[in-house]
Amino acid sequence: MAAGAVVRRRLSRLIARERPPAAVWLIEPEGFSLPSKHTTLAVLTAGATVRALGVRGGSLRAATLRAGAGIGASRVYLGVHWPTDVIAGWLFAEGWLRVTHG
């Protein structure tokens, strides 16, 4: 999980996508927008947790999808991410989980 977070941060700095306009922010964000840090970490955490509990397959994917959707929707609502940032965070985390855990 920690390695995935480090790679996400480096990727975000490399892409350097700007956030939505500050006029719509309900909170003060930090860093760049893509991929969403909170979405990525929520999906990585959910994936690691359910794997540790022995869950695999569709139930694992459902847990990560729910975590990513819930956290991601909150970030869009708060005005600090574009919807595509959230999707990218979820896809990055899903890919990371598949590569590192099969």
Side-chain angles (χ1 to χ4, degrees), residues 7 20 26 30 35 41 45 67 72-74 77 79 83 85-86 90-91 96:
V7 171
L26 298 178
E30 75 174 49
L41 295 178
T45 301
S74 75
Y77 172 80
D85 300 334
V86 170
W90 176 73
L91 289 173
W96 188 263

Side-chain angles (χ1 to χ4, degrees), residues 79-96:
V80 296
H81 279 293
W82 304 102
T84 51
D85 300 334
V86 170
I87 293 167
W90 176 73
L91 289 173
F92 171 82
E94 281 290 332
W96 188 263

Side-chain angles (χ1 to χ4, degrees), residues 1-2 8 17 19 25 32 37 50 74 81 88 97 102:
M1 203 171 104
R8 188 228 53 95
R17 182 177 187 186
R19 293 184 178 275
W25 296 350
F32 294 107
K37 175 174 70 174
V50 296
S74 75
H81 279 293
L97 289 169

Side-chain angles (χ1 to χ4, degrees), residues 4-5 23 26 49 60 67 73 93 102:
L26 298 178
T49 301
L60 170 65

Side-chain angles (χ1 to χ4, degrees), residues 5-99:
V6 169
V7 171
R8 188 228 53 95
R9 183 178 42 233
R10 289 182 180 163
L11 181 62
S12 180
R13 288 179 183 162
L14 178 68
I15 296 168
R17 182 177 187 186
E18 295 299 321
R19 293 184 178 275
V24 300
W25 296 350
L26 298 178
I27 61 169
E28 184 72 29
E30 75 174 49
F32 294 107
S33 191
L34 180 82
S36 166
K37 175 174 70 174
H38 286 83
T39 303
T40 301
L41 295 178
V43 173
L44 290 175
T45 301
T49 301
V50 296
R51 281 183 189 273
L53 296 172
V55 177
R56 300 281 187 265
S59 296
L60 170 65
R61 298 293 166 241
T64 60
L65 180 59
R66 283 192 300 271
I71 296 298
S74 75
R75 308 315 290 172
V76 172
Y77 172 80
L78 292 171
V80 296
H81 279 293
W82 304 102
T84 51
D85 300 334
V86 170
I87 293 167
W90 176 73
L91 289 173
F92 171 82
E94 281 290 332
W96 188 263
L97 289 169
R98 287 178 190 236
V99 167

